[in-house]
Amino acid sequence: MDTLEILIAAIKSLPGLSGGYDITDSNHDCPDLTSELWPRGTTEFDHMATVISGAKIIRGIEQASILPAAALDVKMLDYGCGDGELIAALNSTGRKAVGYDKTSTKTANCYVDWSKIIDLAPYKLVILYDVIDHTDLAGIIEILEQIKTVIHSNGRIFVRIHPFSSVNGTHDFSPVNLAFAHMCLTPSESLKIGLKPWDHLKVVLPLEFYERVFGLLGLAVVSKKIHHSQVNPFVVSHLMNRIKRLHYSETMSAEHIEKSISINYIDFLLAPS
């Protein structure tokens, strides 16, 4: 077996992505995604289940449960709303919410025309759920500058970051576990095994990078919540040197790298400064 074949075999031997355990490393006060806004088994949850189905209800509930008390009078914008599952869930319970996405959407109160979003402004809460990782730096700047023009002076921006450097950062949920394959393989090596990941901004030190970007754009970090997963010992023992060579400086410690790649996602709560 050549080096690439050995590496591929090693990656495929890793336990499933659902294995291990989660560690939430936070001393901050960012709203938790497991709030009691719509507890399972309640009438409101059952009603929402008729509006959005399958896996999308999980995304809708997770997004909605970040809202501070989800007050009926809080006007909200879901930027990058996709199919609009969050908007459908919020509107179905009388909450004021609209969505924006650059692709077409058939969900009520979701728009592809930014002028509609401007007409309905200002918003007390804007949600960016797994959006800015899938553009480039110019795209991040454009999105956040747009949001700054429609957010209330006392508003907040919730940003869910799912960094490139996380275990499945490029969203490759393959039947064969390819955890950290995007960090271990070069683009040409990835193509050899048929791995075609989503577009994903290559950020390998997410905390340092995103906090810097937010600050430069005049957005203050009100709070943050960092969600970690245990890095498989095999990755640490056998793949760390390659990950370091491909993505990090020679002076970066293995401990720092392991801490960075253990970050599954980060929840930021931002405010205009």
Side-chain angles (χ1 to χ4, degrees):
M1 296 176 69
D2 62 20
T3 302
L4 177 59
E5 290 175 329
I6 293 171
L7 183 62
I8 293 169
I11 293 171
K12 289 183 176 180
S13 73
L14 296 177
L17 292 176
S18 61
Y21 56 88
D22 289 333
I23 307 168
T24 298
D25 176 21
S26 176
N27 293 315
H28 308 286
D29 59 353
C30 196
D32 199 319
L33 294 184
T34 57
S35 75
E36 296 299 316
L37 177 59
W38 284 311
R40 291 179 180 273
T42 64
T43 302
E44 195 166 15
F45 181 95
D46 292 340
H47 172 71
M48 280 179 47
T50 67
V51 180
I52 47 180
S53 60
K56 290 181 180 180
I57 194 170
I58 303 302
R59 180 181 173 93
I61 290 175
E62 279 193 344
Q63 288 176 297
S65 64
I66 67 174
L67 313 182
L72 289 173
D73 61 345
V74 172
K75 187 185 291 186
M76 295 164 278
L77 168 65
D78 184 12
Y79 191 109
C81 64
D83 292 334
E85 57 267 18
L86 173 60
I87 301 306
L90 290 169
N91 290 166
S92 73
T93 54
R95 290 168 173 84
K96 300 176 181 178
V98 299
Y100 171 75
D101 204 288
K102 292 183 178 180
T103 59
S104 60
T105 175
K106 297 180 180 179
T107 304
N109 297 320
C110 292
Y111 305 97
V112 296
D113 184 352
W114 182 251
S115 66
K116 296 281 189 181
I117 303 302
I118 294 174
D119 291 343
L120 295 168
Y123 304 93
K124 290 295 291 289
L125 182 67
V126 178
I127 298 168
L128 278 169
Y129 191 101
D130 198 7
V131 171
I132 65 174
D133 306 286
H134 302 293
T135 183
D136 54 18
L137 182 56
I140 293 177
I141 294 171
E142 178 186 358
I143 290 170
L144 293 176
E145 290 290 358
Q146 274 189 310
I147 289 172
K148 285 166 61 178
T149 66
V150 296
I151 194 166
H152 191 280
S153 58
N154 293 324
R156 295 289 183 268
I157 306 169
F158 176 87
V159 186
R160 160 62 65 90
I161 300 294
H162 181 233
F164 171 87
S165 53
S166 64
V167 62
N168 52 359
T170 53
H171 293 275
D172 183 68
F173 298 98
S174 170
V176 177
N177 185 359
L178 295 174
F180 288 115
H182 61 296
M183 295 288 282
C184 299
L185 302 175
T186 65
S188 61
E189 289 170 342
S190 296
L191 289 174
K192 287 183 180 180
I193 61 171
L195 180 61
K196 297 179 181 179
W198 292 17
D199 291 335
H200 209 125
L201 184 62
K202 186 181 174 182
V203 174
V204 295
L205 293 172
L207 270 177
E208 295 90 329
F209 175 82
Y210 286 108
E211 289 191 353
R212 176 71 169 165
V213 170
F214 297 149
L216 290 173
L217 292 176
L219 296 168
V221 176
V222 176
S223 59
K224 63 189 174 190
K225 197 178 193 72
I226 309 165
H227 301 258
H228 291 275
S229 284
Q230 181 187 35
V231 178
N232 187 277
F234 185 92
V235 174
V236 177
S237 300
H238 299 283
L239 301 178
M240 189 63 75
N241 285 340
R242 184 173 174 89
I243 290 173
K244 180 175 181 177
R245 180 167 61 83
L246 290 176
H247 302 289
Y248 297 91
S249 70
E250 292 184 2
T251 58
M252 186 73 67
S253 70
E255 290 77 17
H256 193 165
I257 296 172
E258 182 179 351
K259 189 72 171 179
S260 289
I261 68 175
S262 75
I263 296 175
N264 262 359
Y265 49 90
I266 310 168
D267 294 336
F268 285 102
L269 197 63
L270 309 176
S273 58

